[in-house]
Amino acid sequence: MKKKVVLITGAAKGIGKAIALELAQAGYDIVINYFSSQEQAMELKNQIEELGVSCLAIQADVSKEEEVEEMFQIIEAKFEGVDILVNNAAIDLSNLFHLKTADEFRRTMDVNVIGAYNCSNRAYRYMLDKEFGRIINISSTNGINTYYPMCLDYDASKAALISLTHNLAVQFSPYVNVNAIAPGFIGTESELDGYDEEFLKEEQEKILVNRYGKPEEVAHLVKFLISDQANYINNTVIRIDGGQMGAV
């Protein structure tokens, strides 16, 4: 039986990498999308192939339609199409409010929201033809009601991604389930960088389990949501934040 193919955007490191490894171990064929982290993407590709599944690593800026089209043509030449799409690619240009620019805001929305739209819109063709598909959008509790003015553009993009999730679920029904995951603080390579210890301590105290999350824990949730056990879960947002107070 043909393995299902999963495209994970922004998959060279962090949460995307954890998802790629988790799903490869579960027997899915994997497509790693990356923008600038070529070395990490190639190392991950080798790791995944050692698990006995097929893997592509493709450089593309998901905010650009033409690059997304080229990426999907490469995928279709090898795998026919994408059964499962994980829209994980995101940037966070955190800065003091008065130093932010409209260009930074625009770039954040382009990658985090338009990128997810571009990939979903393109993946849907194959999903519709097969009458099956799963799309998981990686949002954030920042898009619900945890607010940090230094990353208001990121917060706005993650709220927009939740709205996009609901609209795509309606548009792509009944064959494609579209859900969003909203992680809280996850201890990736870069998530906790740049914050002072006092801020991190204060934020950890707001988490009921009193620790930061692990990328692998997000990956476990993705694996469940794309499985047959989750066939009746659609058009929803699932927080994975350790019980982060203020994110309701």
Side-chain angles (χ1 to χ4, degrees), residues 9 15 86-92 105 108-114 116 136-147 151-166 180-184 191 237:
T9 66
I15 290 174
V86 181
N87 285 311
N88 172 73
I91 59 172
D92 178 5
F105 205 120
T108 300
M109 298 298 286
D110 280 348
V111 174
N112 299 7
V113 185
I114 294 175
I136 307 293
N137 293 323
I138 306 298
S139 181
S140 170
T141 55
N142 286 47
I144 301 173
N145 68 347
T146 55
Y147 307 119
C151 56
L152 84 167
D153 42 355
Y154 176 84
D155 295 1
S157 75
K158 292 302 186 177
L161 191 56
I162 289 172
S163 178
L164 182 68
T165 297
H166 295 315
I181 293 173
E191 173 77 1
V237 182

Side-chain angles (χ1 to χ4, degrees), residues 27-92:
Y28 294 90
D29 287 332
I30 303 295
V31 181
I32 300 163
N33 159 259
Y34 67 96
F35 177 59
S36 58
S37 304
Q38 182 178 24
E39 183 177 348
Q40 293 99 320
M42 293 308 162
E43 288 176 1
L44 178 58
K45 179 177 184 292
N46 291 336
Q47 280 182 269
I48 287 171
E49 288 175 337
E50 288 174 1
L51 296 170
V53 299
S54 297
C55 183
L56 286 174
I58 306 173
Q59 192 278 334
D61 181 344
V62 294
S63 73
K64 300 185 184 304
E65 283 182 282
E66 64 276 12
E67 294 191 26
V68 169
E69 177 62 32
E70 290 172 6
M71 175 171 65
F72 272 85
Q73 287 179 5
I74 294 168
I75 296 168
E76 288 163 352
K78 183 173 178 64
F79 293 126
E80 296 182 14
V82 170
D83 301 288
I84 296 151
L85 169 64
V86 181
N87 285 311
N88 172 73
I91 59 172
D92 178 5

